[in-house]
Amino acid sequence: NNIFNFSSFFEGYFWETSGDGVTTHIADRAGSEAIRFLRERPKEMHFALTVAFYPPKGIFDENDCPRNSTRLYENVSIPEPYDRSMAYRYLPPFLQRNQTEARSRYIYRFETHGTFQSSMRAHYSMISHIDSVCERVTEELKRQGAYDNTLIIITADNGEFHGWHALADKWYPYQESIRVPLIIKDPRIPIEKRGTLDDSFTLNVDLAQTILGAAGLDGPREMQGRDIGDLYLERPKSRKPWRSEYYYEFPDINAKIPPSIALVKKKWKYVNWPKHDHEQLFDLEEDPFEFQNLLLNSNYSNVKKEMQQRLVELRHNTFEPFVPGTWCDPLWPRGTPLEDKPDCSPEISYRCCNMSTKIYLETDGSQK
């Protein structure tokens, strides 16, 4: 009965006008609501606060940004990517279609020098403004004497192409889309490790485990991910090797965004586009921009085979207890007829589905 619950939502728009005619950017509103929570919370209780900013998502017009941040970039020229026409030619044919979301948004946001510059100035302006809002929140923590004892995580839900690969937005398993910033301020970090960089593979599924770990709690057995604190804290479980690879998947959500699965390692990335029967293999050390599909070279047939096999293994491990490709696969698109789907996996035969728990996906998205 003593749990404190507080929530405010600002989604899908950038400006809000109050009843007395004062217009405020929603990034500022989100920051003000966070500060209100910090001031009104029961001070004798521990707290968890998430501030999820709607922008810079969808920002490509400087009019959607506060004026005090756009001034920072008025006379700035943003460096453009490599030869984008060349990058376009390296794309698989189905990603070159202007009807896809990534291409259609690229055309009106980044295709010309002028649209690229205005879109990037708007994006950078918004990020700078959000940075100032985060400063307001951390200053409130300091004012309350809570800053030095608070775990702070700054991250994002997805990357942005920003015109690289002649694409816009996200959805695809290329580096610009799947890599996100991650900054952790943890009062437990040893002094010698503060301010250092770590290139270990961390994933969004690690965040919940990290927060629970900081609170002295263990996550449920079925929860994926690992406490990122293992990378900077000296404790017995930190000695367990960190992941050296990960499984990626983007499901089939509509006709304009092709689904994909991938296996990512430090050196190699294998990508499969299942609806187009297309595969790619990249050497990320030699080809960090992911232009050269090495599957066109027979010298890499062994690497391809190893990556394909490992992808299958990781996919099954990720889905457990469900089996990918069968009727219990939770990622079938809405309305998919499941009667003709296999009952168990041909790759890992010992993990067959239990017929008594068969899942049917209804057209409204519910499961029975």
Side-chain angles (χ1 to χ4, degrees):
N1 294 330
N2 294 323
I3 295 177
F4 188 81
N5 193 347
F6 181 104
S7 61
S8 296
F9 296 94
F10 313 99
E11 177 79 15
Y13 56 96
F14 302 117
W15 299 95
E16 183 176 82
T17 302
S18 63
D20 56 3
V22 177
T23 299
T24 305
H25 200 278
I26 61 166
D28 293 306
R29 288 281 285 122
S32 297
E33 288 295 278
I35 292 171
R36 182 162 75 92
F37 163 77
L38 292 173
R39 291 176 178 174
E40 296 179 0
R41 67 185 173 89
K43 299 301 187 292
E44 71 279 5
M45 297 178 65
H46 298 298
F47 68 91
L49 169 64
T50 298
V51 188
F53 296 99
Y54 175 65
K57 177 181 179 180
I59 289 285
F60 57 92
D61 186 339
E62 292 173 274
N63 292 321
D64 292 329
C65 307
R67 180 60 180 149
N68 62 336
S69 63
T70 58
R71 289 193 186 99
L72 299 173
Y73 299 92
E74 279 183 335
N75 299 310
V76 174
S77 178
I78 310 298
E80 299 196 24
Y82 40 62
D83 184 342
R84 286 178 280 164
S85 61
M86 173 196 67
Y88 173 81
R89 292 193 296 271
Y90 281 124
L91 288 174
F94 54 90
L95 296 187
Q96 294 179 355
R97 298 170 186 163
N98 290 342
Q99 294 76 19
T100 64
E101 286 290 355
R103 279 291 299 167
S104 63
R105 297 187 187 192
Y106 168 82
I107 289 171
Y108 70 83
R109 293 182 186 179
F110 299 107
E111 187 171 42
T112 69
H113 174 76
T115 55
F116 177 88
Q117 291 296 321
S118 61
S119 292
M120 292 304 298
R121 280 196 298 266
H123 205 83
Y124 286 174
S125 296
M126 196 65 250
I127 291 174
S128 294
H129 189 73
I130 289 173
D131 189 54
S132 68
V133 175
C134 291
E135 182 182 23
R136 288 174 50 209
V137 176
T138 55
E139 287 300 319
E140 179 61 27
L141 288 171
K142 293 177 181 178
R143 190 189 68 79
Q144 295 186 15
Y147 178 79
D148 291 333
N149 198 36
T150 300
L151 169 71
I152 299 176
I153 300 174
I154 298 177
T155 189
D157 58 345
N158 58 264
E160 287 277 352
F161 279 118
H162 287 162
W164 296 68
H165 294 279
L167 300 170
D169 269 17
K170 45 185 180 179
W171 307 302
Y172 302 157
Y174 299 127
Q175 295 291 82
E176 297 85 359
S177 172
I178 64 176
R179 298 194 64 181
V180 299
L182 175 63
I183 303 172
I184 296 179
K185 198 282 294 185
D186 188 335
R188 301 170 298 164
I189 296 179
I191 293 177
E192 65 273 13
K193 290 188 178 181
R194 296 180 184 180
T196 60
L197 301 178
D198 191 316
D199 66 353
S200 301
F201 279 142
T202 55
L203 306 176
N204 54 6
V205 294
D206 296 328
L207 298 179
Q209 293 279 26
T210 303
I211 295 169
L212 288 172
L217 302 173
D218 292 325
R221 182 183 61 83
E222 63 272 15
M223 179 179 282
Q224 296 178 349
R226 182 175 173 183
D227 185 348
I228 299 173
D230 289 349
L231 291 173
Y232 53 79
L233 298 177
E234 293 297 331
R235 52 192 183 188
K237 66 175 184 176
S238 300
R239 301 188 185 103
K240 177 184 176 183
W242 195 260
R243 69 172 66 89
S244 60
E245 60 190 4
Y246 65 91
Y247 167 76
Y248 165 93
E249 180 168 57
F250 194 89
D252 188 359
I253 60 173
N254 68 52
K256 294 183 178 181
I257 304 174
S260 58
I261 56 177
L263 171 61
V264 184
K265 296 176 177 283
K266 289 292 184 180
K267 180 175 177 61
W268 302 107
K269 180 189 290 184
Y270 168 77
V271 179
N272 186 293
W273 304 87
K275 291 191 73 172
H276 297 277
D277 192 25
H278 188 84
E279 300 169 292
Q280 294 174 299
L281 177 68
F282 300 109
D283 183 338
L284 298 178
E285 293 178 354
E286 300 296 326
D287 179 27
F289 297 137
E290 300 166 287
F291 289 155
Q292 304 293 334
N293 182 7
L294 298 178
L295 293 187
L296 303 177
N297 187 331
S298 60
N299 292 332
Y300 295 92
S301 57
N302 288 337
V303 178
K304 172 187 174 181
K305 183 178 179 179
E306 292 173 5
M307 295 291 282
Q308 286 175 325
Q309 291 175 344
R310 184 57 181 154
L311 176 65
V312 170
E313 294 172 4
L314 280 183
R315 191 169 189 231
H316 281 78
N317 292 341
T318 300
F319 272 64
E320 192 173 0
F322 302 117
V323 181
T326 67
W327 41 247
C328 64
D329 186 334
L331 291 180
W332 287 118
R334 182 178 302 177
T336 297
L338 303 179
E339 291 77 9
D340 59 344
K341 303 303 179 186
D343 291 335
C344 59
S345 168
E347 292 93 349
I348 304 180
S349 58
Y350 63 83
R351 282 190 44 213
C352 290
C353 302
N354 184 342
M355 291 297 292
S356 65
T357 61
K358 187 168 183 178
I359 298 175
Y360 291 93
L361 193 63
E362 301 293 313
T363 55
D364 64 355
S366 60
Q367 291 183 340
K368 295 183 179 179

